[in-house]
């Protein structure tokens, strides 16, 4: 067969792959490889087999070729087959004996031995070394060696900042603290055309900075633009309406306690992209905080129908039952979510909260401690452990855990509120006032959800006999919740003490 005929057949294979006709792709790729015995064609045949889910056959084909140990792309695809077959030890063996340190620097690697196969276009490629580092991380995570998984994920994103999946695993699994995420981001070597990506990544990492700093990051990303036609300044592309960026903003509002604003933003976003799962998670947590059981029921029903094998779907069901105070059912569904995905942090927190709601402290503590071990970069397990200690009147222990949570996340108003409550219970009223005032400073806009904090601050001032401040905060609390009998009682009692 002439070379031009073979080249046409290669085009047929590529077209079949683009149209997801994998059996056809496998059939024609097999013929091309038989005609030429060219390594590039063997690789194309293996790709077609992999996409057609013939993992064992693809692995055998790659392993039988003499080039598999000399070309990193062959090794990588063979390792991907072993990943799909869940043969993790063999997967790591295929990738080679590279070493990595705590900072994601790789040593003793043969990753430089790459024979670049023919390319269909001059598109920019992600470094194959980054892909192999990421696959090593996946293998170690599957083997529950989370320390090594974290190091390889770091190595992947450092090898090529375009390897977003590695950064996503580090962020979503709460593997790194805020400082570690910032340090990693600053160590990445972005190309001159990737300024927008650096800004975008800075929005994805933990948003524990001051409000002004976080909002400045969002403005910077929104300003990043690409003018595709220099002669037409009006034809400019920006990321202002990008769904991932809007989901980041929603996460920030949720963290700040701006649940209504978060819920409105996620509602708008889900109208535009109903299957944006990161946004869906934030939407569910905001609905939980607002007590919107109808929305939770609707979301849970749709998710279970569309994604029955995802932890998020059963987490949503658990949230619905938690919201309507059916804690036993809630616990069952949170447990199902953790069994589907042991790295899904919200389900572990929900599992602990469902036990805590029924005052089953030991089981709640077990869930929170598991979450703290699995997600060392997340402050919520530590915060909830402190709450459990406070519920059992172990105030000193509770304070220690709240201070740990504060070290992790110095911008969460809930942490300061709990520190204020524990100080009040220990009769340290000056310290209590300090923490409650810090809580209010970390809330962008006061709403009814934070009315208990304002009342607690008024109580603390009353205990200190600073009656005019106490009266001021009681009255402020009444503007947030005009029908609160306890606030009226506190206000009346303060006026009584003032007269005495």
């Amino acid at each position: 067969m002439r070379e031009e005929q073979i080249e046409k057949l290669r085009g047929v294979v590529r077209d079949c792959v683009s149209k997801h006709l994998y059996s056809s792709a496998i059939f024609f790729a097999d013929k091309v490889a038989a005609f030429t015995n060219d390594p590039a064609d063997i690789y194309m045949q293996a790709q077609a087999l992999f996409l057609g889910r013939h993992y064992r056959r693809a692995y055998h084909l790659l392993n039988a070729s003499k080039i598999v140990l000399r070309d990193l792309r062959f090794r990588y695809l063979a390792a991907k087959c072993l990943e799909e077959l869940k043969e993790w030890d063999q997967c790591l063996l295929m990738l080679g004996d590279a070493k990595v340190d705590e900072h994601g620097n790789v040593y003793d690697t043969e990753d430089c031995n790459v024979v670049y196969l023919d390319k269909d276009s001059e598109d920019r490629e992600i470094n194959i070394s980054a892909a192999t580092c990421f696959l090593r991380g996946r293998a170690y995570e599957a083997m529950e060696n989370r320390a090594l998984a974290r190091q390889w994920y770091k190595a992947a994103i450092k090898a090529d900042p375009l390897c977003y999946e590695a950064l996503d695993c580090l962020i979503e699994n709460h593997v790194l603290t805020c400082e570690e995420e910032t340090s990693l981001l600053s160590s990445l070597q972005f190309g001159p055309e990737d300024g927008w990506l650096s800004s975008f990544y800075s929005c994805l990492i933990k948003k524990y900075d001051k409000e002004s700093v976080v909002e400045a990051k969002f403005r910077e990303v929104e300003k990043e633009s690409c003018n595709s036609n220099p002669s037409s300044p009006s034809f400019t592309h920006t990321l202002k309406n990008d769904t991932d960026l809007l989901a980041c903003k929603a996460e920030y509002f949720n963290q700040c306690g701006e649940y209504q604003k978060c819920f409105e933003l996620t509602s708008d976003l889900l109208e535009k992209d109903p299957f944006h799962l990161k946004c869906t998670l934030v939407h569910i947590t905001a609905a939980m905080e607002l007590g919107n059981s109808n929305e939770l029921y609707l979301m849970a029903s749709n998710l279970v129908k569309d994604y029955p094998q995802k932890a998020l779907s059963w987490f949503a069901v658990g949230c619905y039952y938690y919201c309507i105070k059916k804690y036993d059912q809630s616990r069952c569904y949170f447990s199902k979510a953790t069994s589907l995905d042991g790295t899904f942090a919200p389900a572990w927190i929900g599992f602990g909260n469902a036990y805590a709601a029924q005052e089953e402290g030991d089981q709640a503590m077990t869930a929170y401690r598991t979450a703290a071990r699995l997600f060392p970069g997340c402050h919520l397990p530590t915060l909830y452990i402190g709450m459990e200690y406070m519920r059992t009147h172990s105030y000193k222990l509770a304070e220690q855990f709240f201070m740990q949570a504060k070290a992790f996340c110095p911008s969460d108003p809930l942490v300061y509120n709990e520190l204020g409550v524990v100080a009040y219970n220990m009769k340290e009223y000056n310290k209590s006032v300090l923490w409650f005032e810090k809580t209010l400073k970390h809330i962008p806009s006061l709403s009814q959800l934070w009315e208990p904090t304002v009342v607690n601050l008024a109580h603390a001032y009353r205990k200190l006999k600073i009656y005019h401040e106490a009266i001021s905060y009681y009255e402020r609390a009444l503007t947030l919740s005009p029908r609160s009998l306890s606030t009226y009682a506190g206000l009346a009692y303060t006026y009584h003490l003032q007269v005495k």
Side-chain angles (χ1 to χ4, degrees), residues 92-153:
L92 289 169
L93 197 62
M94 178 57 68
L95 289 170
D97 295 326
K99 306 291 183 209
V100 66
D101 67 13
E102 179 58 36
H103 304 291
N105 300 311
V106 182
Y107 303 100
D108 303 325
T109 176
E110 299 174 8
D111 287 1
C112 55
N113 298 335
V114 179
V115 179
Y116 282 96
L117 304 175
D118 62 335
K119 291 167 60 179
D120 299 337
S121 68
E122 294 304 313
D123 292 340
R124 184 173 174 185
E125 286 191 343
I126 289 180
N127 191 326
I128 187 68
S129 298
T132 57
C133 289
F134 176 71
L135 185 50
R136 284 189 180 104
R138 292 269 296 170
Y140 280 116
E141 187 174 352
M143 296 164 74
E144 297 193 358
N145 189 336
R146 291 184 173 83
L148 267 177
R150 177 185 63 196
Q151 291 169 14
W152 281 112
Y153 288 147

Side-chain angles (χ1 to χ4, degrees), residues 21-40:
L21 300 170
Y22 299 126
S23 294
S24 300
I26 291 165
F27 176 82
F28 289 111
D30 177 66
K31 307 306 171 281
V32 171
F35 277 126
T36 67
N37 203 32
D38 187 293

